[in-house]
Amino acid sequence: MKLVGLAVLLVASLCYAQDSGDFRPATTNVPDAQYPRVDSAGRAEFRFKAPDATAVKLNLWSGPKLDMAKGADGFWTVTTPPLVPGLHYYTIVVDGAEVSDPSSHTFYGGGKDASGIEIPEAGSTYYLPEDVPHGQVREIWYHSDVTGTWRHALVYTPPGYDEQTRMRYPVLYLQHGAGEDETGWTRQGHVNFILDNLIAAGKAKPMIIVMANGNARRAGATPPAPGARFGSPEMMKAMHEMMMAFEDDETKVLIPYIDAHFRTISDREHRAMAGLSMGGMQTFQVTFDHLELFAYIGGFSGAAMAFGGQPFDTKTALNGELADPAAFAKKVHLLWIGVGTDEPAMMHTGIENLHNALTEAHVQHVFYESPGTSHEWQTWRRDLKEFAPLLFQ
Amino acid sequence: MKLVGLAVLLVASLCYAQDSGDFRPATTNVPDAQYPRVDSAGRAEFRFKAPDATAVKLNLWSGPKLDMAKGADGFWTVTTPPLVPGLHYYTIVVDGAEVSDPSSHTFYGGGKDASGIEIPEAGSTYYLPEDVPHGQVREIWYHSDVTGTWRHALVYTPPGYDEQTRMRYPVLYLQHGAGEDETGWTRQGHVNFILDNLIAAGKAKPMIIVMANGNARRAGATPPAPGARFGSPEMMKAMHEMMMAFEDDETKVLIPYIDAHFRTISDREHRAMAGLSMGGMQTFQVTFDHLELFAYIGGFSGAAMAFGGQPFDTKTALNGELADPAAFAKKVHLLWIGVGTDEPAMMHTGIENLHNALTEAHVQHVFYESPGTSHEWQTWRRDLKEFAPLLFQ
């Protein structure tokens, strides 16, 4: 189950036993679209109009490509085996063109506005709108001298923020993954509903959450040439430059902007950072370069040099900050890493190795495994649900 | 130039004279996408990968379908004549499948997440992010007893709203068109930048702007059967029920919610409503049914019974409120209608007839024509730029 191609397919006989075929339109559909639809076993039925096409495939990004079959009405259809709960990115491949499904809403992922389908998780409401006080998600625009551009960020303010005008709040900086942007944690992740529910239950402190665009480019820098190969020296250099530009933008521009425009508690004891995948890598880079700014650190399916299972030397890695575990534990109140049990081996082994190295070196940390989920948003929703209650306590 | 198929094509020799071919990626592209690209004459070049397709067309919704030509690399391309400035919805038709372009961001229109391309307007910056104080756009969720659902709305708060905590603000309720949703005025319309710029220039009063989802359905009501014909009695009934559900949701749930959660001035003298196309129809219905709630009214390419050029009787229409023009002018401080000169005849003639009927009956109002634009967002951006300064003065 560690292969990406299989991870999304939970072909459990238990699920097949509930063979109700009670299909209903997915919650991610555009209004009144009848397809795609999902049954209580998690199977999804897709339907796509392409009367003149010769081959149409469904591409579930965390699963296999499935051939769709053409009906006499010009619609192509396919029904999947039961899928793991959560939001799955997907595209339709029609005669070689990879496109979004007009029946589903789009979500920015993989560097484009791609389709998403939500498979409900039976009994789970922690990421859904419940009858509790709701916070707001605010779009802000700030000018960055680092990038030389107006940058768009989203800011969750907890319920009561506008009413309790003397109250100040701690802040979590929360980052998306590669190919995604600042909208991911709200639209795909449901960050607001997760926090609304945790706060209402008394499980998490009311906090501000800032979601920035992690794809930063320094003013005047040229992008890598179109078509540059992933992993090529040019791309590695571009990635490094992006990481450094983001670090400068966050620490020199965004944090001062947020502290000036929101009622924050602006010391390091009340500032956290976390991120998923690439955002987890960014979190470890930014926080360990700036422990004067952060006291809580989270890596969701991504953390310092944790991909691929390279050896992790707690004596030298991360600016040597872990070399003295007792001193580190005094400074950083939470070092949290998480991964889905069904993530691709490179991710899972990498995070597990990091966990093992930290354990052996007696570095205080929390390790969480999301059961049955892959390198997808359900893992990161669960990560946030587990991580947020440990902040600012 | 009144035909939809021609409206978007401004084939002016003046434009062709600037035949610079200085193509640059459109601002509506996903990050780092090189296509579509636009030159200073407003021509747009599209590129779409579909190696196995036999026919690919570009469908500019306000213009004609254009055949794309296949290159040896599997990419299909086409370059348009100069286009009217503004945001144009478009789709790609690949072997009969109508889909979005993976290179462009999507915008909810036509009932789906469709592609959009921005053609800059030379010398116009009123709808762009400038070096002025910026307001916020806030996502809120409110529970509606009318629809029985959690509803999502967007709220623009002007610059300084969080700092000047004793200040209270007037409110404009601003609606999108048919097939669109509450995101339209921000994403397509740039409402926040328009207001930021007007407020910074001292041309508009700082105000709160509330953008709700106009597609309301009463709790328990069944949607029209899929495939119900537009204009059929079933669809007309569904449309009427939607209008009434929206009116109840706005007046009984949303306005009280906004007045309870934002620092509004909650009397009718400080409340306006406007909308585009279907939103303009909704505006006239809601405001004339509730003149106890609103003192400013705007219809952008849509107003009371103004489509198709039916006779408009100021004595009887709109609950008879216009029958006494002097009394009406005392009650309603602004009745504003606008239309693009190049809108389809049904729209343009309808609004013009309304304007003429109001003029003949001496009903005080403002009539604005957006030069050279059609039933598209550039018309509505201009409408807002002209309308907002007249509010709450």
Side-chain angles (χ1 to χ4, degrees):
Chain A
M1 287 298 278
K2 290 288 165 56
L3 291 171
V4 183
L6 290 178
V8 86
L9 298 172
L10 180 64
V11 192
S13 56
L14 183 67
C15 286
Y16 272 123
Q18 314 174 304
D19 195 351
S20 49
D22 50 352
F23 285 97
R24 298 205 299 189
T27 57
T28 30
N29 289 6
V30 296
D32 292 338
Q34 299 301 304
Y35 293 82
R37 49 188 210 166
V38 181
D39 76 359
S40 59
R43 292 179 300 193
E45 184 179 1
F46 294 82
R47 190 164 181 266
F48 180 79
K49 184 182 178 184
D52 308 325
T54 54
V56 178
K57 288 173 195 289
L58 169 70
N59 181 14
L60 282 162
W61 294 7
S62 282
K65 285 190 176 68
L66 297 175
D67 288 323
M68 300 181 77
K70 190 176 185 177
D73 54 3
F75 283 87
W76 298 68
T77 55
V78 68
T79 302
T80 71
L83 302 175
V84 168
L87 183 85
H88 305 298
Y89 290 119
Y90 75 98
T91 37
I92 305 279
V93 184
V94 47
D95 286 349
E98 187 165 1
V99 297
S100 295
D101 180 352
S103 296
S104 288
H105 274 303
T106 63
F107 300 84
Y108 188 71
K112 60 190 171 188
D113 287 337
S115 296
I117 183 170
E118 184 79 46
I119 307 295
E121 181 167 79
S124 270
T125 57
Y126 72 90
Y127 56 99
L128 301 178
E130 295 288 296
D131 189 14
V132 299
H134 288 275
Q136 299 175 354
V137 176
R138 304 179 179 196
E139 300 190 60
I140 62 165
W141 289 262
Y142 65 100
H143 195 276
S144 172
D145 290 339
V146 173
T147 63
T149 58
W150 285 98
R151 285 173 63 76
H152 181 240
L154 296 172
V155 180
Y156 169 81
T157 53
Y161 182 87
D162 277 339
E163 288 76 30
Q164 291 146 45
T165 54
R166 289 181 179 188
M167 180 112 155
R168 302 190 75 91
Y169 298 84
V171 187
L172 165 62
Y173 289 79
L174 186 62
Q175 289 302 124
H176 58 83
E180 299 175 333
D181 68 14
E182 70 277 14
T183 63
W185 267 108
T186 304
R187 300 209 57 242
Q188 289 93 307
H190 297 193
V191 58
N192 53 309
F193 298 133
I194 294 173
L195 263 290
D196 290 344
N197 292 329
L198 287 173
I199 292 168
K203 290 182 181 167
K205 288 266 171 76
M207 66 184 80
I208 292 167
I209 301 181
V210 178
M211 296 156 282
N213 187 332
N215 308 297
R217 185 172 294 143
R218 212 171 286 278
T222 48
R229 193 173 49 78
F230 189 80
S232 66
E234 188 190 1
M235 282 299 280
M236 293 299 282
K237 183 165 167 285
M239 179 63 116
H240 176 72
E241 284 171 359
M242 186 198 74
M243 296 280 282
M244 294 311 299
F246 174 74
E247 179 172 332
D248 279 356
D249 181 67
E250 177 171 354
T251 58
K252 295 179 182 169
V253 184
L254 181 60
I255 289 176
Y257 181 94
I258 294 296
D259 285 336
H261 290 83
F262 290 84
R263 296 196 315 279
T264 65
I265 309 171
S266 60
D267 60 25
R268 69 179 292 283
E269 300 291 320
H270 296 87
R271 193 180 294 116
M273 184 174 178
L276 71 92
S277 198
M278 178 184 87
M281 308 291 281
Q282 290 176 316
T283 295
F284 273 67
Q285 178 189 300
V286 172
T287 56
F288 279 85
D289 279 356
H290 294 279
L291 287 178
E292 81 282 5
L293 293 177
F294 301 93
Y296 299 84
I297 301 168
F300 305 168
S301 307
M305 299 174 291
F307 288 144
Q310 305 96 319
F312 183 87
D313 183 350
T314 55
K315 296 292 179 203
T316 58
L318 299 169
N319 308 338
E321 292 285 354
L322 304 175
D324 180 346
F328 180 75
K330 272 191 191 158
K331 206 186 295 184
V332 173
H333 307 318
L334 179 63
L335 181 66
W336 196 101
I337 54 177
V339 70
T341 58
D342 286 0
E343 297 210 27
M346 189 186 75
M347 316 270 183
H348 190 270
T349 309
I351 300 282
E352 210 169 29
N353 285 352
L354 176 62
H355 163 55
N356 291 335
L358 293 172
T359 304
E360 279 165 33
H362 305 289
V363 175
Q364 200 172 301
H365 70 288
V366 175
F367 175 57
Y368 167 75
E369 283 189 294
S370 163
T373 61
S374 185
H375 201 65
E376 287 198 294
W377 276 97
Q378 201 73 351
T379 299
W380 306 320
R381 290 169 176 167
R382 290 177 183 171
D383 286 342
L384 182 63
K385 176 171 67 95
E386 300 296 322
F387 175 73
L390 306 178
L391 297 177
F392 317 121
Q393 299 293 347
Chain B
M1 287 296 280
K2 289 289 166 56
L3 292 170
V4 183
L6 290 179
V8 85
L9 297 173
L10 179 65
V11 191
S13 56
L14 182 69
C15 286
Y16 271 123
Q18 315 173 305
D19 195 351
S20 50
D22 50 350
F23 285 97
R24 298 204 300 188
T27 58
T28 29
N29 289 7
V30 296
D32 293 337
Q34 300 300 306
Y35 292 83
R37 48 188 208 165
V38 181
D39 76 359
S40 59
R43 292 179 300 193
E45 185 180 0
F46 294 82
R47 191 164 179 264
F48 180 79
K49 185 181 178 185
D52 308 326
T54 54
V56 178
K57 288 173 196 287
L58 169 69
N59 182 14
L60 282 162
W61 293 8
S62 281
K65 284 189 176 68
L66 298 175
D67 288 324
M68 299 181 78
K70 188 177 185 177
D73 54 2
F75 283 87
W76 298 69
T77 55
V78 69
T79 302
T80 70
L83 302 175
V84 167
L87 183 85
H88 305 299
Y89 289 118
Y90 76 97
T91 36
I92 305 278
V93 184
V94 48
D95 287 349
E98 186 166 2
V99 297
S100 295
D101 180 353
S103 296
S104 288
H105 273 304
T106 63
F107 301 84
Y108 189 70
K112 60 189 169 188
D113 288 338
S115 297
I117 182 169
E118 184 79 46
I119 306 296
E121 182 167 78
S124 271
T125 57
Y126 72 89
Y127 56 98
L128 301 178
E130 296 288 295
D131 189 14
V132 299
H134 288 275
Q136 299 176 354
V137 176
R138 305 178 178 197
E139 300 189 61
I140 62 164
W141 290 261
Y142 64 99
H143 195 275
S144 172
D145 289 340
V146 174
T147 63
T149 58
W150 286 97
R151 285 173 63 76
H152 181 241
L154 295 173
V155 180
Y156 169 82
T157 53
Y161 182 89
D162 276 338
E163 288 76 30
Q164 291 146 45
T165 54
R166 288 181 180 189
M167 180 114 155
R168 301 190 76 90
Y169 298 84
V171 187
L172 165 62
Y173 289 79
L174 186 61
Q175 288 302 122
H176 59 83
E180 298 174 334
D181 68 14
E182 70 277 14
T183 63
W185 268 108
T186 304
R187 299 210 56 241
Q188 289 93 307
H190 298 192
V191 57
N192 52 309
F193 298 134
I194 294 173
L195 263 290
D196 290 344
N197 292 330
L198 287 172
I199 292 168
K203 290 181 182 167
K205 288 266 170 78
M207 66 184 80
I208 292 167
I209 301 181
V210 177
M211 296 156 282
N213 188 332
N215 309 295
R217 185 173 292 142
R218 212 172 286 277
T222 47
R229 194 173 47 79
F230 188 79
S232 66
E234 188 189 3
M235 281 299 280
M236 295 298 282
K237 182 164 168 287
M239 179 64 113
H240 175 74
E241 285 172 359
M242 186 200 71
M243 298 280 281
M244 295 310 299
F246 174 74
E247 179 173 332
D248 279 356
D249 180 67
E250 177 171 352
T251 57
K252 295 179 182 167
V253 185
L254 181 59
I255 289 176
Y257 181 94
I258 294 295
D259 285 335
H261 290 82
F262 289 84
R263 297 197 315 279
T264 64
I265 308 171
S266 62
D267 61 25
R268 68 180 295 281
E269 300 291 319
H270 296 87
R271 192 180 294 116
M273 185 174 177
L276 71 92
S277 198
M278 178 185 87
M281 309 290 279
Q282 290 175 315
T283 294
F284 273 68
Q285 179 188 300
V286 172
T287 56
F288 279 86
D289 279 357
H290 294 280
L291 287 178
E292 82 283 5
L293 293 177
F294 300 94
Y296 299 83
I297 301 169
F300 306 168
S301 308
M305 298 173 292
F307 288 143
Q310 305 97 317
F312 183 86
D313 183 351
T314 56
K315 297 290 178 205
T316 56
L318 299 169
N319 308 338
E321 292 285 355
L322 305 175
D324 180 345
F328 180 74
K330 271 190 193 161
K331 205 187 293 183
V332 172
H333 308 317
L334 179 64
L335 182 65
W336 195 101
I337 54 176
V339 69
T341 58
D342 285 0
E343 297 211 26
M346 188 185 77
M347 316 271 182
H348 190 271
T349 309
I351 300 282
E352 211 169 25
N353 285 352
L354 176 61
H355 163 54
N356 292 335
L358 293 173
T359 304
E360 278 165 33
H362 304 288
V363 175
Q364 199 172 302
H365 70 288
V366 175
F367 175 57
Y368 166 76
E369 282 189 294
S370 163
T373 61
S374 184
H375 202 68
E376 287 198 294
W377 275 97
Q378 201 73 349
T379 299
W380 306 319
R381 290 169 176 167
R382 290 178 183 171
D383 286 342
L384 182 63
K385 175 172 68 93
E386 300 296 322
F387 176 73
L390 305 179
L391 297 177
F392 316 123
Q393 299 292 347

